[in-house]
Amino acid sequence: MYERQALPRPVVREELVELTSGSEDSKESDQGEPGEEPIIILAELVGACNLRAEDADGNQLIDVRPYCIVKYGDKIIHRTTESTEIGLSPIWTVETKSLFLLKISTEDLTKKTLSFSLWDKRNEGPLISTFVSEANFLGRVELDLATVISHCDEERFEVPLDDENLDGDDSTGCLALRFRLATEADRTFVTCRNNVNEDQSSVMSNQAREVMRSILNGEEEETRLHRASLNITEKDETEVAGSSLVNALSSFFKQSGFTDRSTGLHMVRPKPNPDPLRPEETEYLTRTDIKTETLKPSRHWVESGSGNLGTLHLEILSCHDLPNFDTGEAVGNLTDAFVCAVFEDVMVQTPVIDDELSPHWLPWTQRAFRLGIMHPASMLYLGVFDYDLGVTDHEAIGRVAINISNYQRDTTYLLKFNLHKSSNVTDRTGHGIITVRLRIEMHDEKAALMEALKPRPKIHVNVKKEKSFHVVRYTCFGEYDNEEKFDLTVLRSYINEIFEYKMLLSYVFLDSFLSLMFWKGQVEVLGILAPVHSLLFFCAGCILIERPYMLPSFMLLSVAWIMLAGMSYQRHHPSPWMRCQSFQHYLGILLTGKSSLETKRIAPREGWEETQAYDKAWAVRLAKDQKRRDEKYARIQELNDIGDDKISTKTNGMLIPVDLLVRMARYQGIIGGICKKFRFVKIILTWEESIISFWITAIFLAAGIVSLILPWVFILTWTSRIIVWGLFGPHMKFVDVYLEAQAKKNDSSLEKELEKFHEQSKKARMKREDALKLKAVKEIRFGKFITLVPAYNLARHHDRPLPQSSARVFNRDLAKGDQLVVKKDEKKAWVPGQQLHGSMIPRPENLYLKNQELEIKQLGRLLMFEARLAAIKAAQASGGGLERIRKRVSMIRRAEETRASEFELECGGDQSKIDDPVFNELCIRPYQEELKENRLSAIAQKLPRMLSLATISEGEDSSDQSSNVSTVTNTSMPTTFEGYCERVLEQEGVEIVAWGHLAPDSQVSKSLDTNDSKEENEAIPFEDAEGAIHMVSPSSSEPSGTLSVLYQETDSTFVAFYRP
């Protein structure tokens, strides 16, 4: 009896979108095959390195700006512009058209190659169709399509360049490339970029740039729910000036304020405008009413940032006692204040409050921002400015830096800070006060804590205008933003800071030593300060005296002990705003996934009197010690004057060298680097960066505890023996003789150093390539002025909230009642984050992942083309000519067309002897495990739309039919087999398409010869390496020769192909 497998059900897949525009050669190849859909590859010219350029006299050229011309077959399909940097190692970016699209069809696999030629900008290279002999040729490389398809993984790879004018041993450098499958968004972006030429109108260029920006940021989806929020410094100043003029004219006919005769209260008009929902009620308010309105919940929130760990809710409420930066104070021309906030990869700004030294941003203005959090210890930078029109910059008033890791989750903080010009100079004076309200919401605290173990990302913020750049720069760095440039104030501050650290260390060591020795109160236990640290130190010392081999364990534990002692000292500060998060706080997050709210409420001026007493005690102690040092120095100076024995003639002082400033800038940089290292150690020991401090403490504590159980006697003994016996024994004399002989024979140290240098140089170059390409894309999307946002707040002074600040646990139920109803058709304001991901076309994280998913969906078609290449190689290996190769590729393409027509695959019988390379590549190899276990449903899920296949093995009960079924080598169809197919297969409602029994090579050749003269409506055998399959004559409604597949099986197996 014949056995058959159950027929699978067809599965429908989503159709791929075809690119409407492409190169001319690709269009011509498509016309030859109407049903053919090519694959479209996104290619990138990353750069070239170590090029050689010579002039007509053979002199080496250095100041060159190379460009690249790409040919596909015989036609030029792309040309980059000249590299922006001068040199022999160019890097091309989106700005210089480094991206292009490559459309590959089946016919191209045997006919075309991809070639790249490099030329010098000095002389015009090839024109549209011809080459100019005077062109300065730099090198050329040619790639076959197999290399291109095999590198479609977006990984950078290098290929050596060739120059016909040089000897074979000479090297002309290499070319770096990237390839991957192109999605629809990639095609649109590259087409817009490459089709915009310099001679086109600015309107068309701006339209193309807007399309590219929308693709980079996904605005076509985001704008459905959001409206773009433009920062005030990025707006056209003409528009701002016009709006200010209209407001001034409208205010001219209205009173700015008056005194209510009935109450005697002074009423003022709120700025910038009354509440649109209550215009009459809020047209004039008292100062007290304005403060009350300011503290109400914000009505409009601006969504911004790329982080997904949590959300920072920021509300900028008011500023007080700002200095006046405008002339004409007597006529009411005062500071026009606005606030800029920079957090991670986003910059947001408030509106401008005109002519006000104590501006209030009311709930109906743009003052509230929801900022996505990428790292749990990111810094929030706030800067206050005076808005100025014209060529002058917006004048900086002051700034503040807030470390969000010092604040607990789900707590509303009302914070007041002093504004300072800089955080790095010795003497700081306040320039007003800023009031903000913030709340931190973490989606997964444990994930945020684990994120702190990763290196902090390098984040840049781009803006379009230079005045905006100065605003962002000052907000992040302060007044002295370039500390590498020599400045006497900065240098003096560095020197003073080093002496301050010296004095601080002396106090710490002296106080710690005296506290440990005299068993003073150190840790609060049951309301009593107990000498816990003295007890631990005494016990540890006693153990080490008896067991000195435990010193490594105690050294590890001592680091954790010092960290915990620093945390305890900081936690016991009388001011709640000087305290840090505790070790137990983070340990609870690590164990349970959620932290406890240790602080329920902080009232205004809580701990203020104790803090004043604490600061006063420190000031008295410092003054007393300083007085003692001054008196000691005066006595020493007096003794030197009394005993002065210098009798030589004094000379005039030397003139200051001209290059002193250059050297002083270098020395300032060295001293500044030392100070920054001290600052980093300080923020760790004082738990200013509490998350990093926690991980350092936890790691050393765990390592110390584990090391206590190690056999240190055995480890130290054998380690000492190995070191002494192995490195200091008399046998080392023979080792020395051997090494000297090897050094004389072959001195390869220089070669190794050069090899190491080249490897480091390559990594450094790749790093620079990524930076320049990211810069070019960000300039298109966000603007050309870039600021690096500091990852750590390595400032000398840290900003702390003033005693008037307060905090309370956030009540969600109460907050819901305070929320105002927003209209359904009102879109939320939105400022996109600027952190991009990806190599070839960087995008925001969500769009990057989405684009990857779309690319993965196309990998099946890429595998088809790889199978076609395998078929070409197999035909070439068997000695076939060009016609045989083309015929074989055409057969595979028609087989793949059946996969696009909702056919499925079912296999049965002995699959172990299937060794046809093409069929293995298409059907067997990717599903080898499923075929071995005969799990056909798994194959159907992975590979729908395959031509259905039924293998019918001959068994003992089939002897009555086997005599009538023979090897098929001609166009006649055995009636017994046809009748069997009708009985067995057509009862399932399917149509037999092809059937066959494999034949030897000789019979295949004979079969092919006998069918050369047959008509198209007859059964046609299809060739394979070792067998043939006949195809049933198609009906008149079906195109001829569209269903075929290559297959090879044992002689005892029939194969039937059917259509569901």
Side-chain angles (χ1 to χ4, degrees):
M1 293 293 294
Y2 289 102
E3 297 179 357
R4 61 181 177 85
Q5 302 291 336
L7 303 180
R9 299 174 62 87
V11 180
V12 180
R13 281 186 178 177
E14 183 182 356
E15 295 289 340
L16 296 176
V17 181
E18 190 171 340
L19 183 66
T20 57
S21 61
S23 57
E24 296 179 0
D25 51 335
S26 298
K27 293 179 180 178
E28 291 178 0
S29 64
D30 294 346
Q31 294 174 358
E33 299 290 341
E36 174 69 14
E37 183 181 1
I39 60 171
I40 301 175
I41 293 176
L42 177 64
E44 181 185 18
L45 292 156
V46 180
C49 58
N50 301 326
L51 300 178
R52 292 184 58 180
E54 297 178 352
D55 58 13
D57 299 330
N59 299 321
Q60 185 73 21
L61 298 177
I62 299 178
D63 55 339
V64 297
R65 297 175 63 182
Y67 61 91
C68 180
I69 293 180
V70 185
K71 294 180 65 179
Y72 187 43
D74 297 330
K75 293 186 177 181
I76 296 176
I77 63 172
H78 184 67
R79 166 178 170 163
T80 69
T81 58
E82 295 80 9
S83 62
T84 55
E85 296 182 338
I86 298 177
L88 296 174
S89 295
I91 297 176
W92 294 290
T93 64
V94 174
E95 180 185 0
T96 53
K97 297 185 178 181
S98 63
L99 299 173
F100 66 94
L101 297 174
L102 179 64
K103 185 184 290 188
I104 301 178
S105 63
T106 304
E107 297 299 326
D108 297 340
L109 297 177
T110 57
K111 296 191 301 183
K112 295 183 178 181
T113 58
L114 190 66
S115 64
F116 305 87
S117 57
L118 301 183
W119 301 84
D120 180 10
K121 177 183 179 296
R122 284 169 161 264
N123 303 311
E124 286 297 325
L127 298 177
I128 298 300
S129 59
T130 60
F131 289 95
V132 178
S133 59
E134 292 82 6
N136 194 0
F137 179 66
L138 301 181
R140 182 175 180 273
V141 64
E142 185 171 345
L143 298 179
D144 56 18
L145 297 184
T147 303
V148 173
I149 294 177
S150 63
H151 284 87
C152 283
D153 52 5
E154 204 173 357
E155 294 294 329
R156 179 186 183 275
F157 70 100
E158 295 181 353
V159 289
L161 292 170
D162 181 33
D163 189 349
E164 300 88 345
N165 301 325
L166 298 177
D167 298 334
D169 297 335
D170 295 333
S171 174
T172 60
C174 60
L175 180 67
L177 303 168
R178 280 196 187 98
F179 296 102
R180 69 167 170 84
L181 290 175
T183 62
E184 184 178 1
D186 297 333
R187 304 171 200 174
T188 307
F189 179 86
V190 175
T191 303
C192 289
R193 175 64 191 95
N194 294 344
N195 288 345
V196 176
N197 299 322
E198 297 178 358
D199 55 350
Q200 288 181 314
S201 64
S202 59
V203 176
M204 182 179 297
S205 177
N206 292 335
Q207 291 177 350
R209 283 185 173 272
E210 288 301 323
V211 173
M212 289 188 287
R213 288 170 184 168
S214 65
I215 293 173
L216 291 176
N217 216 60
E219 289 183 359
E220 67 280 357
E221 297 181 3
E222 295 288 351
T223 50
R224 298 175 185 174
L225 301 175
H226 298 81
R227 60 177 175 84
S229 178
L230 193 62
N231 293 317
I232 187 66
T233 59
E234 293 286 85
K235 291 183 178 180
D236 187 1
E237 290 192 355
T238 305
E239 177 185 350
V240 176
S243 177
S244 300
L245 180 60
V246 171
N247 293 335
L249 291 177
S250 62
S251 300
F252 180 77
F253 298 99
K254 294 182 181 180
Q255 289 181 325
S256 60
F258 64 92
T259 302
D260 190 348
R261 296 181 180 179
S262 60
T263 60
L265 299 176
H266 185 67
M267 310 290 289
V268 296
R269 183 177 175 84
K271 298 179 181 180
N273 55 267
D275 186 359
L277 301 181
R278 302 176 297 159
E280 296 181 358
E281 182 182 349
T282 59
E283 185 175 7
Y284 291 97
L285 299 172
T286 64
R287 294 291 182 183
T288 304
D289 292 337
I290 291 178
K291 293 180 180 179
T292 304
E293 290 287 339
T294 303
L295 295 177
K296 290 183 178 180
S298 298
R299 186 180 303 171
H300 305 290
W301 287 85
V302 178
E303 307 286 342
S304 56
S306 304
N308 52 18
L309 289 177
T311 304
L312 173 63
H313 301 261
L314 171 66
E315 297 173 87
I316 300 171
L317 303 182
S318 63
C319 291
H320 298 278
D321 303 326
L322 299 180
N324 185 26
F325 282 86
D326 291 344
T327 58
E329 183 175 357
V331 295
N333 188 22
L334 304 176
T335 297
D336 306 320
F338 72 94
V339 178
C340 173
V342 178
F343 182 74
E344 293 183 338
D345 65 335
V346 71
M347 175 196 68
V348 293
Q349 294 174 352
T350 65
V352 177
I353 305 296
D354 294 326
D355 302 325
E356 187 65 53
L357 299 181
S358 294
H360 289 72
W361 286 271
L362 297 168
W364 51 85
T365 61
Q366 181 179 297
R367 68 169 192 180
F369 310 95
R370 292 192 180 100
L371 309 171
I373 299 175
M374 284 191 292
H375 195 278
S378 296
M379 299 296 302
L380 171 64
Y381 300 97
L382 301 175
V384 184
F385 299 85
D386 173 40
Y387 188 89
D388 288 329
L389 295 172
V391 296
T392 59
D393 290 333
H394 307 296
E395 294 180 89
I397 299 175
R399 64 181 291 276
V400 63
I402 304 174
N403 189 349
I404 66 171
S405 65
N406 291 331
Y407 303 92
Q408 69 180 13
R409 63 171 179 87
D410 297 333
T411 303
T412 301
Y413 292 93
L414 186 63
L415 305 176
K416 296 178 181 292
F417 293 92
N418 280 324
L419 295 171
H420 299 281
K421 287 283 189 179
S422 176
S423 299
N424 296 322
V425 295
T426 303
D427 301 322
R428 299 201 307 171
T429 57
H431 290 78
I433 298 173
I434 185 173
T435 303
V436 299
R437 184 164 57 202
L438 62 84
R439 175 171 60 89
I440 300 171
E441 180 182 347
M442 285 293 180
H443 305 320
D444 187 346
E445 289 189 271
K446 187 173 183 180
L449 184 61
M450 301 304 294
E451 186 72 19
L453 291 174
K454 301 178 183 178
R456 300 192 181 185
K458 182 176 290 187
I459 299 174
H460 297 83
V461 170
N462 291 49
V463 291
K464 298 176 182 178
K465 295 186 175 182
E466 187 175 3
K467 293 177 70 173
S468 299
F469 166 73
H470 293 302
V471 168
V472 178
R473 182 81 184 176
Y474 179 86
T475 302
C476 294
F477 295 95
E479 183 177 8
Y480 300 97
D481 59 345
N482 188 7
E483 298 182 5
E484 286 77 18
K485 183 179 179 180
F486 175 72
D487 190 286
L488 186 60
T489 303
V490 175
L491 180 60
R492 185 177 61 182
S493 176
Y494 281 154
I495 297 174
N496 182 273
E497 185 178 355
I498 292 177
F499 282 103
E500 184 179 297
Y501 288 137
K502 177 179 176 294
M503 182 183 64
L504 180 63
L505 288 176
S506 64
Y507 280 119
V508 170
F509 286 134
L510 179 62
D511 293 349
S512 300
F513 179 75
L514 295 178
S515 178
L516 289 175
M517 176 178 290
F518 298 110
W519 287 63
K520 295 184 178 181
Q522 297 143 359
V523 179
E524 185 176 352
V525 179
L526 300 177
I528 302 174
L529 287 177
V532 176
H533 294 301
S534 299
L535 178 62
L536 291 175
F537 185 81
F538 175 75
C539 295
C542 293
I543 295 174
L544 283 177
I545 291 174
E546 303 296 332
R547 301 174 182 177
Y549 54 84
M550 297 189 68
L551 180 62
S553 299
F554 279 76
M555 290 180 65
L556 294 173
L557 291 173
S558 64
V559 176
W561 176 42
I562 293 173
M563 294 295 298
L564 291 174
M567 180 207 69
S568 177
Y569 177 81
Q570 202 70 20
R571 293 278 298 173
H572 285 85
H573 197 282
S575 174
W577 305 111
M578 296 293 293
R579 298 168 191 164
C580 61
Q581 301 285 7
S582 65
F583 181 83
Q584 295 82 355
H585 170 82
Y586 292 113
L587 186 61
I589 296 176
L590 188 62
L591 298 178
T592 64
K594 194 172 184 179
S595 64
S596 59
L597 299 178
E598 300 177 354
T599 302
K600 301 299 181 182
R601 184 176 182 273
I602 299 177
R605 296 184 179 273
E606 181 177 327
W608 180 61
E609 296 180 356
E610 294 83 353
T611 303
Q612 277 192 321
Y614 178 85
D615 293 340
K616 184 178 180 180
W618 259 108
V620 170
R621 181 180 180 183
L622 293 177
K624 184 178 179 180
D625 293 342
Q626 183 65 37
K627 182 179 179 181
R628 186 183 299 112
R629 285 192 293 268
D630 293 341
E631 292 176 352
K632 182 179 179 180
Y633 176 78
R635 289 194 296 269
I636 294 175
Q637 187 65 32
E638 185 178 355
L639 289 175
N640 291 335
D641 293 340
I642 295 174
D644 188 6
D645 57 351
K646 297 178 181 179
I647 59 174
S648 59
T649 304
K650 296 182 179 181
T651 60
N652 296 327
M654 297 179 62
L655 296 176
I656 300 177
V658 178
D659 61 340
L660 178 63
L661 294 179
V662 178
R663 286 186 291 169
M664 292 300 292
R666 183 168 64 252
Y667 298 150
Q668 175 182 300
I670 296 174
I671 299 174
I674 296 174
C675 288
K676 289 179 180 179
K677 290 182 174 61
F678 279 126
R679 292 173 186 174
F680 185 78
V681 174
K682 179 183 176 182
I683 64 176
I684 298 300
L685 294 177
T686 60
W687 286 66
E688 180 69 25
E689 289 284 345
S690 55
I691 295 182
I692 300 179
S693 301
F694 163 76
W695 279 115
I696 293 176
T697 305
I699 291 172
F700 276 94
L701 184 61
I705 294 174
V706 171
S707 65
L708 289 175
I709 62 176
L710 296 179
W712 285 110
V713 175
F714 176 82
I715 294 174
L716 295 176
T717 301
W718 278 100
T719 302
S720 303
R721 289 174 179 173
I722 292 173
I723 293 175
V724 174
W725 296 348
L727 300 179
F728 297 96
H731 62 280
M732 294 302 295
K733 179 61 179 177
F734 299 99
V735 175
D736 180 52
V737 173
Y738 173 78
L739 292 177
E740 288 182 354
Q742 289 295 114
K744 294 179 180 179
K745 183 185 299 184
N746 183 18
D747 188 8
S748 60
S749 58
L750 181 59
E751 296 179 0
K752 292 181 179 180
E753 288 293 329
L754 290 176
E755 183 179 352
K756 183 179 179 181
F757 172 77
H758 290 318
E759 187 66 24
Q760 293 175 346
S761 176
K762 181 179 179 180
K763 292 181 179 179
R765 176 177 173 80
M766 293 171 61
K767 185 177 179 180
R768 176 164 176 77
E769 288 173 353
D770 295 339
L772 291 180
K773 293 177 184 299
L774 179 63
K775 174 186 176 183
V777 174
K778 292 195 69 174
E779 285 181 350
I780 293 177
R781 176 61 189 94
F782 304 106
K784 65 178 183 179
F785 298 99
I786 308 175
T787 302
L788 174 64
V789 180
Y792 296 93
N793 185 26
L794 296 179
R796 181 177 180 181
H797 304 283
H798 296 281
D799 298 303
R800 302 290 186 182
L802 297 176
Q804 296 86 352
S805 304
S806 61
R808 59 180 175 84
V809 175
F810 178 67
N811 190 329
R812 296 185 181 275
D813 296 332
L814 182 61
K816 290 180 180 178
D818 293 337
Q819 295 296 326
L820 295 175
V821 178
V822 182
K823 298 179 181 179
K824 293 183 179 180
D825 58 346
E826 183 179 355
K827 295 181 179 180
K828 297 180 180 179
W830 169 60
V831 176
Q834 298 191 18
Q835 194 70 355
L836 304 181
H837 301 263
S839 300
M840 300 180 73
I841 303 181
R843 293 176 168 89
E845 185 177 10
N846 60 331
L847 294 180
Y848 171 70
L849 297 176
K850 180 180 179 181
N851 199 71
Q852 275 192 327
E853 293 177 359
L854 295 176
E855 182 185 351
I856 291 174
K857 290 182 179 180
Q858 304 183 66
L859 289 180
R861 299 189 61 250
L862 185 64
L863 293 176
M864 294 181 188
F865 274 74
E866 288 184 347
R868 296 176 187 179
L869 288 171
I872 294 174
K873 293 180 180 179
Q876 291 174 338
S878 61
L882 182 60
E883 290 297 326
R884 179 181 177 90
I885 294 175
R886 290 179 176 176
K887 186 175 182 180
R888 189 178 183 93
V889 171
S890 179
M891 292 164 53
I892 300 175
R893 185 177 66 249
R894 287 195 293 269
E896 292 167 357
E897 289 170 358
T898 64
R899 304 171 74 170
S901 304
E902 300 184 8
F903 288 91
E904 299 182 352
L905 169 69
E906 181 178 354
C907 299
D910 184 12
Q911 301 290 342
S912 61
K913 297 182 180 180
I914 299 177
D915 54 8
D916 179 71
V918 179
F919 189 81
N920 286 340
E921 189 71 26
L922 282 173
C923 306
I924 303 304
R925 193 181 68 178
Y927 315 101
Q928 193 65 40
E929 296 298 327
E930 291 83 353
L931 288 172
K932 287 182 180 179
E933 302 176 8
N934 202 21
R935 292 190 286 118
L936 303 178
S937 59
I939 302 178
Q941 292 177 0
K942 289 185 177 181
L943 190 63
R945 295 189 173 186
M946 274 293 294
L947 184 67
S948 297
L949 168 65
T951 57
I952 310 164
S953 301
E954 293 181 296
E956 297 179 356
D957 298 336
S958 61
S959 58
D960 55 337
Q961 297 179 356
S962 61
S963 59
N964 296 325
V965 181
S966 59
T967 301
V968 179
T969 58
N970 51 44
T971 59
S972 62
M973 181 185 299
T975 57
T976 304
F977 185 75
E978 181 183 12
Y980 172 79
C981 291
E982 291 178 352
R983 292 196 311 271
V984 177
L985 296 179
E986 291 192 4
Q987 65 183 357
E988 299 286 346
V990 300
E991 174 190 358
I992 303 172
V993 178
W995 55 273
H997 191 288
L998 300 177
D1001 292 339
S1002 59
Q1003 292 179 337
V1004 171
S1005 325
K1006 181 180 179 181
S1007 173
L1008 292 174
D1009 295 337
T1010 59
N1011 283 280
D1012 289 340
S1013 60
K1014 298 296 179 182
E1015 297 179 357
E1016 292 182 358
N1017 62 347
E1018 293 181 341
I1020 303 173
F1022 287 91
E1023 173 195 7
D1024 189 32
E1026 298 183 5
I1029 295 175
H1030 277 195
M1031 185 171 178
V1032 177
S1033 300
S1035 62
S1036 58
S1037 60
E1038 294 288 340
S1040 175
T1042 59
L1043 298 175
S1044 62
V1045 74
L1046 296 178
Y1047 190 80
Q1048 190 221 338
E1049 191 44 282
T1050 60
D1051 292 339
S1052 60
T1053 303
F1054 293 103
V1055 181
F1057 299 89
Y1058 59 88
R1059 186 199 312 271

